[in-house]
């Protein structure tokens, strides 16, 4: 296993900082995000390091709350995606036949929709809110992960140790759980990081359009949407959450690239 490159380490460090901010917001470390601390639309200064919003609230605790909401919502949705994709991808790849065709046709139907269009359709059915945002992330990220897990399961199911387990009389759950799943876990982990970055983008887009997280709760998409109203008079309202959103997506993608290089060394591509 090769040593992680500096870019991957930097991405991981950035991601850990964002996680610390998210945990800090849950512990109230940044202060009350709804407290009015000064005049409205004040630029960054000693009393409010990211400025104040249109109600006079400090942007620091609000950005911290937004990071926590976005990361938590996206992470929970991606965990659901990983569970569903692993289950159907492994079964379809191992069993093949009509079950494989059924799963892949359903996946292709979902994959045919542009991500934001599918997310808006889900939000229109379920109504704006966190449930709609979570369901949208799951439906947007399931297709690609299922296809890749299924491809990995097809390759693993042809290995000698799987054939030996079947010949020895091992039952299907044991074959899938002990021989197939551990050998596609790397694919699931790598795709999970990419799915998380997509989930953050989907949540930000939905909340920006008003279909995701609803005020007064803050998420990065909500903060960008609210800051867009004052983009000329108070650009710091959109700059802070916008930079954090981009940093989160980029750092997760970099970590995913590094993780792929560690788990798939024969396909390693240097990032530096």
């Amino acid at each position: 296993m090769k040593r992680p490159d500096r870019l991957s380490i930097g991405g991981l460090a950035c991601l850990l900082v964002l996680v610390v901010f998210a945990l800090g917001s849950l512990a109230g470390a940044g202060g009350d995000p709804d407290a009015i601390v000064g005049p409205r639309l004040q630029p960054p200064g000693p009393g409010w390091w990211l400025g104040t919003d249109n109600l006079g609230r400090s942007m620091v605790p609000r950005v911290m709350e937004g990071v926590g909401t976005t990361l938590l919502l996206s992470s929970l949705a991606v965990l659901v995606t990983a569970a569903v994709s692993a289950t159907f991808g492994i079964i379809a790849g191992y069993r093949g036949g009509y079950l494989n065709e059924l799963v892949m046709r359903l996946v292709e139907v979902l994959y045919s929709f542009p991500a934001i269009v599918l997310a808006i359709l889900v939000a229109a059915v379920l109504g704006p809110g966190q449930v709609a945002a979570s369901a949208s992330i799951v439906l947007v990220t399931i297709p690609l992960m299922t296809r890749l897990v299924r491809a990995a399961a097809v390759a693993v199911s042809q290995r000698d140790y799987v054939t030996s387990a079947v010949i020895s009389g091992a039952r299907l759950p044991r074959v899938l759980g002990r021989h197939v799943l551990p050998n596609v876990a790397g694919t699931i982990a790598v795709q999970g990081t990419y799915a998380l970055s997509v989930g953050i983008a989907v949540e930000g887009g939905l909340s920006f359009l008003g279909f995701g997280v609803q005020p007064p709760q803050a998420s990065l998409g909500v903060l960008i949407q609210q800051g867009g109203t004052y983009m000329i008079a108070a650009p710091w309202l959109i700059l802070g959450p916008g930079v954090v959103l981009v940093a989160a997506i980029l750092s997760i993608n970099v970590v995913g690239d590094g993780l792929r290089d560690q788990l798939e060394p024969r396909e390693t591509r240097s990032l530096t």
Side-chain angles (χ1 to χ4, degrees), residues 127-149:
Q130 294 189 26
V131 174
S134 300
S136 299
I137 293 172
V138 171
L139 290 180
V140 167
T141 54
I142 273 181
L144 182 58
M145 185 180 291
T146 302
R147 293 174 66 178
L148 293 174
V149 171

Side-chain angles (χ1 to χ4, degrees), residues 95-107:
R95 296 302 296 268
Y98 74 91
L99 185 58
N100 173 66
E101 291 296 322
L102 176 62
V103 171
M104 295 312 296
R105 295 298 82 77
L106 291 175
V107 165

Side-chain angles (χ1 to χ4, degrees), residues 32-247:
D32 184 1
D34 296 321
I36 297 177
V37 298
R40 60 191 300 270
L41 301 179
Q42 290 298 299
W48 32 81
W49 297 105
L50 293 179
T52 61
D53 66 3
N54 60 314
L55 297 178
R57 298 172 295 188
S58 174
M59 286 298 294
V60 171
R62 290 189 61 75
V63 170
M64 291 178 66
E65 182 188 15
V67 171
T69 300
T70 297
L71 286 181
L72 180 60
L73 195 66
S74 302
S75 299
L76 292 177
V78 169
L79 287 176
V80 175
T81 294
V84 174
S85 297
T87 300
F88 286 98
I90 290 174
I91 293 176
Y94 180 79
R95 296 302 296 268
Y98 74 91
L99 185 58
N100 173 66
E101 291 296 322
L102 176 62
V103 171
M104 295 312 296
R105 295 298 82 77
L106 291 175
V107 165
E108 288 173 1
V109 169
L110 292 176
Y111 201 66
S112 65
F113 286 91
I116 194 64
V117 173
L118 180 59
I120 292 175
L121 288 175
V122 173
V125 173
L126 298 179
Q130 294 189 26
V131 174
S134 300
S136 299
I137 293 172
V138 171
L139 290 180
V140 167
T141 54
I142 273 181
L144 182 58
M145 185 180 291
T146 302
R147 293 174 66 178
L148 293 174
V149 171
R150 176 255 178 195
V154 168
V156 170
S157 64
Q158 298 172 355
R159 302 284 177 82
D160 291 340
Y161 54 82
V162 175
T163 303
S164 299
V166 174
I167 293 175
S168 66
R171 295 182 179 274
L172 179 62
R174 180 179 177 84
V175 173
L176 297 182
R178 184 165 183 175
H179 299 286
V180 179
L181 178 59
N183 290 284
V184 300
T187 299
I188 297 172
V190 172
Q191 293 306 314
T193 59
Y194 295 137
L196 181 57
S197 67
V198 172
I200 291 174
V202 169
E203 186 282 323
L206 269 185
S207 297
F208 179 81
L209 294 174
F211 295 106
V213 177
Q214 299 296 299
Q217 186 174 12
S219 76
L220 294 179
V222 169
L223 294 177
I224 292 173
Q225 189 272 336
Q226 293 176 341
T229 306
Y230 303 94
M231 185 166 55
I232 303 299
W236 54 86
L237 294 183
I238 196 172
L239 183 62
V243 169
V244 172
L245 181 66
V246 172

